[in-house]
Amino acid sequence: MKRPIHLSTPLATESIRNLKVHDIVTLSGTIYTARDMAHLKLKELKKSRKPMPEVFKGAVIFHAGPVVKKEGSGFTLLTIGPTTSIRMEPHSDLIGKLGVKALVGKGGMGNESLQAFKKYGMVYLLAAPGCGVLHAQAVKEVKQVHWLEELGMPEAIWVLEVTDWGPLTVAMDSHGNSLFHTIYEEGLKKLDSLIKD
């Protein structure tokens, strides 16, 4: 296994442009969770020209709904695993405009996202599913939460501080390459050869 490339937030465009599909990375710094409802809320804010809850330039968004326990005036993260990213496909251009540089999730994203990644210099990172407790171990602090009462625990935007989070696999890069496209094409070739046989 290749030695991981360590990145710290906020991510620089140059460091993201240097990443290629199959690279392994670890992340440290501030990351944000966002699922379906959070993306719709961000879209609404952008359309009405209202301020965003955070500055997303150089940011990492994790497609995840954490399980969090309230303790005193703060929160303790119990587990956090990736959710299926394709649901956020319609929002990739918006996320790029906000300055986000990396999306983390499972299952991959589509062609619209791939075009946005090329345009804005972004990558898609795969987080291992079924490893929520392990992902949570990288979270050193729950810094803040936005829209908890309005959207609920899984859909709120959680602001998390992580250290050496990973390994995460670059599955879609900023040059139009997609691990999912490669797997699909290889699968078609094998299927074709099986049919011919």
Side-chain angles (χ1 to χ4, degrees):
M1 182 172 159
K2 290 193 289 186
R3 187 175 180 178
I5 299 164
H6 188 70
L7 301 173
S8 296
T9 63
L11 302 176
T13 301
E14 183 181 357
S15 64
I16 295 303
R17 291 283 187 194
N18 286 334
L19 295 175
K20 303 288 189 298
V21 166
H22 298 295
D23 282 344
I24 305 297
V25 305
T26 58
L27 287 169
S28 293
T30 301
I31 68 165
Y32 308 90
T33 69
R35 289 168 42 121
D36 310 65
M37 297 306 295
H39 281 80
L40 290 172
K41 182 83 173 169
L42 292 172
K43 184 178 180 180
E44 179 186 307
L45 292 177
K46 182 74 172 173
K47 186 177 180 180
S48 59
R49 299 184 179 179
K50 293 180 180 177
M52 293 289 156
E54 296 281 338
V55 176
F56 291 107
K57 185 176 181 182
V60 174
I61 287 183
F62 187 15
H63 297 153
V67 176
V68 183
K69 181 181 179 182
K70 177 77 170 159
E71 290 190 332
S73 60
F75 297 93
T76 299
L77 184 73
L78 302 179
T79 182
I80 183 168
T83 194
T84 305
S85 296
I86 194 65
R87 301 199 315 267
M88 275 55 81
E89 178 73 6
H91 309 294
S92 294
D93 194 73
L94 165 68
I95 294 303
K97 284 177 181 174
L98 293 179
V100 173
K101 290 298 169 191
L103 300 177
V104 185
K106 70 175 182 179
M109 302 184 78
N111 287 327
E112 285 184 35
S113 294
L114 206 54
Q115 293 307 310
F117 297 166
K118 288 170 67 176
K119 182 178 179 181
Y120 298 108
M122 301 165 64
V123 292
Y124 178 81
L125 306 173
L126 275 176
C131 300
V133 173
L134 289 175
H135 292 306
Q137 288 175 1
V139 177
K140 304 309 174 187
E141 181 186 0
V142 178
K143 297 173 74 174
Q144 196 172 356
V145 60
H146 299 283
W147 310 325
L148 178 58
E149 290 187 9
E150 180 182 353
L151 301 182
M153 185 185 296
E155 297 290 343
I157 290 181
W158 293 88
V159 185
L160 308 173
E161 189 73 17
V162 299
T163 301
D164 294 327
W165 178 33
L168 306 168
T169 303
V170 178
M172 300 170 76
D173 63 27
S174 63
H175 306 284
N177 302 306
S178 169
L179 180 63
F180 307 101
H181 285 178
T182 303
I183 291 169
Y184 178 74
E185 288 165 5
E186 288 178 356
L188 285 179
K189 287 177 186 175
K190 288 184 179 179
L191 180 63
D192 189 50
S193 67
L194 288 171
I195 292 171
K196 286 178 180 176
D197 292 344

